[in-house]
Amino acid sequence: MKRYDIDRERRMAWFREARFGMFIHWGLYAVPGGVWKGRDIGGVGEWIFNSAQLTVADYEPLQSQFNPVQFSAKEWVRTAKDAGMRYIVITSKHHDGFCLWDSKLTDWDIMGTPFKRDILKALATECHKQKIRLCFYHSIMDWHHPDYLPRRGWDKRPTAEANFGRYIEYMKGQLKELLTNYGPIGIAWFDGEWEGTWTHDKGEDLYKFVRSLQPSIIVNNRVDKGRQGMKGMTKGDFAGDYGTPEQEIPANGFGEGVDWESCMTLNDTWGFKTKDMNWKSAETLLKNLIDCASKGGNYLLNVGPTPEGTFPKPIVERLEVMGGWLKTHGEAIYGTQASPFPKPLPWGRVTRKGNKLYLHVFDTTQAQIILPGLKTKLKGARTLMGYPKTGAFTIDSLGNRSGSLTLGKARMPIPAVGSPEGVRITLPEALKGQLLPVIVLEFDGVLVVEPRQFLSAPIK
């Protein structure tokens, strides 16, 4: 990706430290929740305008129905913070063009609803209080605006008077509102750049425009035309500070100096959908987070609030488990670098910080695990958290523990020795049954891994 300024490393520092963020897709589409006139509409919830082939006249009445009286910015930000998330990316405007803030450039915004409160202003205030970075998703595509082109095939509004250049000025005007009235914004997260009316030149211009308003802001690669589909990485010389894989995690990462962030859903949809109950387990979500960090990337986990303004209970339950794990294991995630091994190891994942390696053990049934080709002298190995002293427990599908387990404060020494094949670690019985235990290895000097054949291992 093109580097537009010499302070890129400084701008990206907080992003690399954070590793974990909350994505929020919310808007008028939460009202139908994937159902239109009694019919369950396929696809993701926030695309119902498109999936149900609605007209603007069909869709506009949702504005008078959107009244999220249970919305609490304080509760949303607290939930994200307690989950261990370091930043929030919210849809200021999705593809339907509806705005969650008090825009002076349109009536198609939150002030035209019965709620009549600036959602983004409330979140900005609360993020500042709770020290969470606020970021804005903003769609380049706009199905509602009369000047946006191309139109959907079933949209019969006349196009003779439509002026795409005028739409771009409208979009820039709204971005100026967002980037001057809501304090420092961490990321301008663009989307919808794939349509033919958007060009490389327009992408470069928009990147520079946004950076002119907030020089320290990070801008994702969807501002321009270089993204390679859902894999999310830029190929060629295009604008954007980092790549955006969607609903997938790259098999082996991208090496040093490449910034990326996998955005993924908690169930199967981004926006709220009443009938989508296919929730990922807390263990799976934690493995995804660890997998991203082990490859030098971030994990942007999506929530789709209800039309009333609350997070569905299954989301809250899983985020609580993730937050509990990160309180004791965050050292192995925040501010870490990618594993020194070129491919994931079959028993789990590895993150790195200085001369320390953090071994995230996914499979605790093995007696021993191997760090192949590692040649640096080992100083010591121990568990990251206190180990069990008494009792026993079980873990349910959410990752919740039950039972009478008592954890000691002492960190258990772990048997680890060098061998011709690398470093061999013996797993103690006390780790078995724990939710994704972490072992810390400290080395005497720079980590050196001898090149050899590695087998990539999927998350199980």
Side-chain angles (χ1 to χ4, degrees):
M1 296 177 196
K2 187 179 291 184
R3 296 184 178 183
Y4 286 87
D5 57 297
I6 60 173
D7 68 344
R8 182 177 183 276
E9 294 300 303
R10 178 184 59 82
R11 291 191 299 112
M12 297 300 298
W14 75 262
F15 180 84
R16 295 166 182 163
E17 171 73 25
R19 290 297 175 227
F20 191 25
M22 175 182 280
F23 213 178
I24 303 176
H25 276 70
W26 199 42
L28 300 184
Y29 42 80
V31 175
V35 177
W36 193 262
K37 294 184 177 180
R39 183 167 63 96
D40 187 17
I41 305 299
V44 287
E46 74 285 356
W47 274 69
I48 194 168
F49 193 131
N50 183 86
S51 303
Q53 298 191 1
L54 305 179
T55 66
V56 167
D58 292 330
Y59 197 78
E60 282 185 336
L62 293 178
Q63 186 177 24
S64 64
Q65 300 171 42
F66 189 61
N67 190 21
V69 293
Q70 296 181 47
F71 165 72
S72 167
K74 181 178 181 180
E75 184 67 14
W76 279 23
V77 177
R78 183 198 63 78
T79 299
K81 188 170 185 176
D82 287 352
M85 294 158 159
R86 298 292 179 86
Y87 59 108
I88 291 173
V89 182
I90 185 169
T91 51
S92 56
K93 184 197 81 164
H94 204 264
H95 307 326
D96 62 359
F98 179 76
C99 306
L100 285 180
W101 79 98
D102 182 7
S103 175
K104 306 308 179 188
L105 301 178
T106 183
D107 293 330
W108 185 236
D109 70 357
I110 192 68
M111 304 310 286
T113 71
F115 193 60
K116 296 186 184 299
R117 282 173 51 199
D118 188 325
I119 297 293
L120 302 188
K121 181 67 73 175
L123 279 174
T125 299
E126 201 57 45
C127 282
H128 177 74
K129 287 181 181 178
Q130 298 194 42
K131 295 181 171 51
I132 293 278
R133 286 185 186 264
L134 179 63
C135 311
F136 291 145
Y137 166 112
H138 201 80
S139 175
I140 293 170
M141 185 163 62
D142 192 318
W143 299 323
H144 182 270
H145 197 279
D147 282 323
Y148 182 80
L149 296 170
R151 298 269 174 81
R152 306 304 97 181
W154 55 89
D155 186 346
K156 302 306 180 184
R157 288 178 294 170
T159 59
E161 301 299 319
N163 184 321
F164 192 70
R166 190 163 58 208
Y167 168 74
I168 292 175
E169 290 309 305
Y170 164 80
M171 179 173 62
K172 283 184 172 181
Q174 289 204 316
L175 287 166
K176 186 174 182 180
E177 290 180 336
L178 291 170
L179 298 180
T180 56
N181 298 331
Y182 297 86
I185 301 302
I187 300 170
W189 211 106
F190 289 103
D191 196 22
E193 84 291 356
W194 53 81
E195 298 209 296
T197 46
W198 196 248
T199 65
H200 168 55
D201 288 344
K202 291 181 174 67
E204 279 200 325
D205 177 71
L206 187 59
Y207 179 95
K208 292 174 183 177
F209 174 76
V210 168
R211 294 284 316 285
S212 74
L213 296 171
Q214 290 205 21
S216 294
I217 201 168
I218 297 169
V219 184
N220 74 342
N221 67 340
R222 300 187 187 198
V223 70
D224 204 345
K225 300 290 286 190
R227 176 169 66 111
Q228 302 298 293
M230 292 299 187
K231 292 188 180 301
M233 302 307 291
T234 290
K235 184 177 182 180
D237 195 13
F238 294 91
D241 294 318
Y242 70 92
T244 53
E246 182 170 332
Q247 296 288 45
E248 61 182 77
I249 299 172
N252 302 307
F254 304 101
E256 292 291 336
V258 179
D259 296 295
W260 58 276
E261 168 196 70
S262 281
C263 58
M264 302 180 78
T265 52
L266 244 153
N267 50 356
D268 291 330
T269 186
W270 301 94
F272 176 72
K273 200 167 183 181
T274 56
K275 297 186 179 182
D276 183 359
M277 297 297 161
N278 190 28
W279 305 105
K280 298 175 180 69
S281 71
E283 182 174 350
T284 294
L285 298 171
L286 281 168
K287 284 181 176 179
N288 286 341
L289 169 61
I290 294 165
D291 198 27
C292 288
S294 75
K295 297 166 182 174
N298 286 18
Y299 187 41
L300 186 62
L301 180 59
N302 183 76
V303 301
T306 69
E308 294 78 25
T310 61
F311 295 162
K313 184 179 178 182
I315 291 177
V316 175
E317 290 174 337
R318 284 155 177 79
L319 293 184
E320 286 177 348
V321 176
M322 297 185 80
W325 186 88
L326 281 163
K327 282 179 182 177
T328 52
H329 297 86
E331 176 188 329
I333 298 293
Y334 303 122
T336 57
Q337 296 173 284
S339 167
F341 303 99
K343 293 184 178 181
L345 301 174
W347 47 261
R349 299 293 183 268
V350 179
T351 53
R352 174 178 49 157
K353 191 179 291 183
N355 66 340
K356 291 181 180 179
L357 289 184
Y358 299 91
L359 315 185
H360 302 258
V361 184
F362 292 178
D363 182 3
T364 60
T365 64
Q366 300 184 48
Q368 293 184 327
I369 57 177
I370 301 290
L371 295 176
L374 187 55
K375 296 301 182 183
T376 309
K377 182 180 178 182
L378 179 66
K379 292 174 66 176
R382 57 175 172 79
T383 57
L384 180 58
M385 62 180 289
Y387 60 94
K389 289 175 64 179
T390 60
F393 63 85
T394 59
I395 301 174
D396 64 19
S397 62
L398 286 176
N400 291 314
R401 296 181 179 88
S402 60
S404 57
L405 181 73
T406 301
L407 293 179
K409 293 183 179 180
R411 297 182 176 189
M412 178 190 298
I414 299 293
V417 295
S419 69
E421 53 194 333
V423 175
R424 182 181 295 274
I425 298 104
T426 300
L427 298 182
E429 285 294 321
L431 293 188
K432 291 178 169 46
Q434 285 196 36
L435 176 63
L436 302 174
V438 176
I439 297 171
V440 186
L441 272 60
E442 188 171 358
F443 293 86
D444 188 9
V446 178
L447 293 167
V448 176
V449 176
E450 180 183 79
R452 58 174 60 205
Q453 189 70 30
F454 289 87
L455 296 176
S456 184
I459 289 182
K460 295 182 180 179

